[in-house]
Amino acid sequence: DAGVTQSPTHLIKTRGQQVTLRCSPKSGHDTVSWYQQALGQGPQFIFQYYEEEERQRGNFPDRFSGHQFPNYSSELNVNALLLGDSALYLCASSLAPGPSSYNEQFFGPGTRLTVL
Amino acid sequence: GDSVTQMEGPVTLSEEAFLTINCTYTATGYPSLFWYVQYPGEGLQLLLKATKADDKGSNKGFEATYRKETTSFHLEKGSVQVSDSAVYFCALSEGSYIPTFGRGTSLIVHP
């Protein structure tokens, strides 16, 4: 089992550019969540995708958008990059969200984005 | 809104020392509580969890008890190893099932 994989590992962009990050969920998982982890901070929830739709969203501007594909993999897109977007971007996969017990999220190693 | 406060690090210990990392939370309802661990260069891993008051989560020698009266979920281990060196995150979730994380506490264990 490959677990959650993310690509690329590292990325350097300049202000104003656009970036796309990719995530493949753990085998058997159908839900993908994205988090931003600034240096020295805990992860902040960006949004969650299930059945190819955005289901929940954190307090992030519309410059952050995403997509989920039929094979459950996902992309995170960030437009008009700002210096403050520099962070580790984590993808987490889980089983379908629901009102029952908490579904454990499995995290990938992250993509380190540096905006110059 | 919901929030989690952790003790600031780094926490530096010698091997076999006792570990406590403090965590307190603020929530409107009855959250589930978690500890995650992040080893260098890796993603977060769920270490343990507790879903109701007085529950004790435990894993790999680590323990934490859900204390509703003090809104706390302190992480403890009786004898740390060098391999426990990592960043530890306290988190809660309720309603949306999306965890809210603390800022993390770095643990450094020396031989």
Side-chain angles (χ1 to χ4, degrees), chain B residues 86-105:
Chain B
V87 181
Y88 292 81
F89 293 91
C90 185
L92 67 80
S93 76
E94 60 176 341
S96 67
Y97 313 101
I98 300 296
T100 297
F101 291 90
R103 296 180 63 169
T105 301

Side-chain angles (χ1 to χ4, degrees), chain A residues 43-105:
Chain A
Q44 298 290 315
F45 173 69
I46 302 175
F47 43 54
Q48 182 181 76
Y49 276 83
Y50 170 63
E51 292 187 331
E52 302 181 46
E53 290 187 10
E54 183 182 295
R55 299 291 177 166
Q56 297 188 65
R57 189 179 183 93
N59 189 25
F60 279 80
D62 292 344
R63 297 187 298 109
F64 291 76
S65 63
H67 188 78
Q68 186 178 35
F69 299 93
N71 66 353
Y72 309 121
S73 66
S74 176
E75 289 182 348
L76 164 66
N77 301 291
V78 187
N79 295 322
L81 285 168
L82 304 173
L83 295 179
D85 294 332
S86 295
L88 180 68
Y89 287 85
L90 296 168
C91 169
S93 73
S94 58
L95 293 172
S100 59
S101 61
Y102 171 78
N103 289 322
E104 180 181 348
Q105 296 192 338

Side-chain angles (χ1 to χ4, degrees), chain B residues 38-60:
Chain B
Q38 187 174 33
Y39 297 103
E42 299 183 15
L44 278 71
Q45 301 174 24
L46 180 63
L47 181 60
L48 54 83
K49 67 180 182 182
T51 58
K52 62 183 187 297
D54 300 325
D55 268 2
K56 177 184 284 188
S58 60
N59 186 25
K60 300 180 182 179

